[in-house]
Amino acid sequence: MRKITLFFLVVACLFTSFPTVAQDYFKDGGEAGKTYILMAHPTVQNIERMKYLIDNHFLFVGESEIVGIYYSFENYNYNQSINYIRDNELSKFHLQHLTGLLTPENIYTENDFTHNFEVLFEQTLGIFFFGGPDIQPITYGEENRYAVVTDPYRHLFELSLAFHLLGGSQSPDYTPLLEKNPKYFICGFCLGMQTMNVATGGKMVQDIPAEIYDTDDPSEIVEFDRDKIHRNYWQEIFTNDKLMNVNFHQLRLPEGGFFAEEVKWRNDVSPPVLSAHHQAIKDLNECWEVTAWSMDKKVIEGIHHKKYPNVFGVQFHPEIPELYYPADSLIFSPSDQPKSYFDRIGSDGQKFHKKLWRFISKSIQ
């Protein structure tokens, strides 16, 4: 890894720095010898989650510090993140926004961000991609049938970044950045995994109930077996302040493979996970292997890159702190008994999630 001071000199020229003292880290030069992990979409909530996981020893990052990166045109008000980091004196969290022109036509080729992406890649250990709203279908060559797109510029930025890191069938002659460092770490949760799939040339199931189960009627969906429901559709039928907007379902794990060999989990034990999505990945690029399914094998729940060992994603949410301690008790349906997320995943879920975080931590080092 090059001297980190060079990183800061380059970044000071390439990126726009924040006007507050707490966020002038790159501009001021930082400290020599440090290592960094990127997180895309560094909202207050995502920073809180990262901090919880690190502070409570689920995620081990050593002495590495976290740099949140985002596109200046995203809808989220990142002044909230600036203030949160400053007010809580989070000395190991930093932010940097990037500027330039991104369109659906240039995200899978060299563009205004290409050199910036190269600099970030060369000076960091890896990146986390978090969950969020639907990707605009134009980015994977389809008309919008069911997607609800609320932050299109976020997707343009994260898709282009993931493409530059991993390459894709959209531009087969492009050499991905990971060719320079195949052990670079990339992990995606929910939308993050979907972004990795689309960036490499895949597409999306735009609505699971409508396209897989032939209904978009919430009253029919809530009658499904719970393992076929990937978010809580009761919220579209009745209102209750104790109603959770997620569902918990089990995973179907292939024999051998990623979770057995890397995460060290028995594939005959189907762990419960927190699910909060209505879309799913499809047309998986041949660079990926499927690591987990829904119980009926109609929804892909995990992927792992065949060439780059530390690149993987999951459709569920292991990063939510409430999985790891008894918080509020919530209900799934009118007849449900209130339970915390912690109680809903139970001992098997606890063991599974802790093993997954140990693997993630090992992959970063």
Side-chain angles (χ1 to χ4, degrees):
M1 183 175 288
R2 299 178 187 174
K3 294 291 186 182
I4 201 69
T5 50
L6 175 59
F7 176 37
F8 295 123
L9 289 174
V10 175
V11 170
C13 296
L14 293 176
F15 302 114
T16 303
S17 296
F18 291 101
T20 60
V21 174
Q23 302 308 328
D24 274 344
Y25 191 72
F26 289 161
K27 181 179 178 182
D28 292 344
E31 296 180 34
K34 286 190 175 181
T35 56
Y36 297 88
I37 299 166
L38 300 174
M39 58 179 294
H41 199 56
T43 63
V44 170
Q45 183 181 65
N46 286 336
I47 294 170
E48 287 176 331
R49 289 172 174 177
M50 287 287 284
K51 182 179 183 302
Y52 173 85
L53 292 165
I54 294 169
D55 289 350
N56 289 276
H57 310 296
F58 294 102
L59 173 62
F60 295 88
V61 298
E63 297 300 315
S64 296
E65 300 189 359
I66 309 298
V67 179
I69 57 172
Y70 65 94
Y71 188 18
S72 57
F73 290 168
E74 288 184 36
N75 284 342
Y76 184 79
N77 178 7
Y78 282 99
N79 286 327
Q80 298 175 74
S81 299
I82 294 171
N83 294 336
Y84 178 78
I85 291 173
R86 182 196 62 217
D87 294 346
N88 291 277
E89 299 181 348
L90 303 184
S91 61
K92 291 192 175 184
F93 283 80
H94 318 284
L95 296 179
Q96 190 66 58
H97 75 277
L98 289 78
T99 61
L101 176 64
L102 288 176
T103 70
E105 291 73 35
N106 75 1
I107 56 175
Y108 304 126
T109 184
E110 292 190 5
N111 56 43
D112 288 357
F113 289 79
T114 298
H115 186 51
N116 296 355
F117 290 155
E118 291 172 352
V119 171
L120 290 171
F121 169 76
E122 291 172 359
Q123 305 298 337
T124 59
L125 301 178
I127 183 169
F128 286 94
F129 289 100
F130 287 92
D134 299 348
I135 299 170
Q136 55 270 46
I138 191 174
T139 62
Y140 49 88
E142 291 189 357
E143 295 183 359
N144 190 343
R145 298 184 301 277
Y146 299 103
V148 180
V149 181
T150 60
D151 199 352
Y153 287 106
R154 174 191 173 184
H155 299 308
L156 295 180
F157 173 66
E158 294 183 12
L159 286 168
S160 192
L161 173 55
F163 167 79
H164 278 78
L165 292 170
L166 297 170
S169 58
Q170 308 93 327
S171 298
D173 293 333
Y174 172 77
T175 302
L177 290 172
L178 262 73
E179 286 299 296
K180 299 177 183 178
N181 178 14
K183 293 186 178 181
Y184 191 81
F185 166 82
I186 304 175
C187 180
F189 305 130
C190 198
L191 167 67
M193 184 182 80
Q194 296 170 0
T195 297
M196 293 157 66
N197 172 55
V198 171
T200 53
K203 297 185 178 182
M204 296 295 302
V205 175
Q206 291 189 30
D207 186 69
I208 292 170
E211 297 188 356
I212 294 180
Y213 299 113
D214 298 319
T215 182
D216 59 3
D217 184 346
S219 64
E220 294 181 3
I221 299 169
V222 295
E223 297 299 322
F224 289 178
D225 183 283
R226 283 283 291 274
D227 284 328
K228 294 181 179 180
I229 302 175
H230 295 270
R231 70 177 185 188
N232 195 348
Y233 289 85
W234 278 108
Q235 63 188 321
E236 300 178 28
I237 299 174
F238 86 110
T239 301
N240 186 306
D241 60 4
K242 291 294 184 180
L243 184 70
M244 59 186 181
N245 61 3
V246 305
N247 184 33
F248 289 84
H249 65 73
Q250 292 181 301
L251 296 181
R252 180 173 183 148
L253 304 176
E255 289 189 17
F258 176 80
F259 280 101
E261 296 175 6
E262 305 295 344
V263 182
K264 309 302 181 185
W265 183 258
R266 290 176 49 190
N267 51 31
D268 62 332
V269 177
S270 299
V273 294
L274 187 154
S275 181
H277 61 105
H278 79 109
Q279 298 194 319
I281 62 176
K282 70 175 182 180
D283 295 346
L284 206 58
N285 186 284
E286 62 182 10
C287 69
W288 300 106
E289 64 175 345
V290 176
T291 62
W293 300 90
S294 59
M295 294 302 287
D296 62 2
K297 293 195 71 175
K298 292 187 176 182
V299 173
I300 295 173
E301 294 282 345
I303 59 175
H304 182 220
H305 205 281
K306 294 179 181 178
K307 185 174 186 179
Y308 307 131
N310 298 324
V311 176
F312 51 91
V314 294
Q315 186 59 68
F316 50 94
H317 288 274
E319 81 281 13
I320 294 179
E322 288 80 3
L323 294 172
Y324 304 103
Y325 64 90
D328 293 341
S329 293
L330 303 173
I331 60 173
F332 174 76
S333 68
S335 61
D336 191 24
Q337 293 298 312
K339 286 185 180 180
S340 67
Y341 289 179
F342 178 85
D343 289 330
R344 289 181 187 276
I345 64 171
S347 60
D348 280 347
Q350 286 288 318
K351 292 175 185 176
F352 173 78
H353 284 77
K354 290 176 181 178
K355 282 180 177 286
L356 178 56
W357 280 113
R358 281 199 290 270
F359 172 76
I360 291 173
S361 301
K362 180 181 177 182
S363 300
I364 297 173
Q365 306 305 318

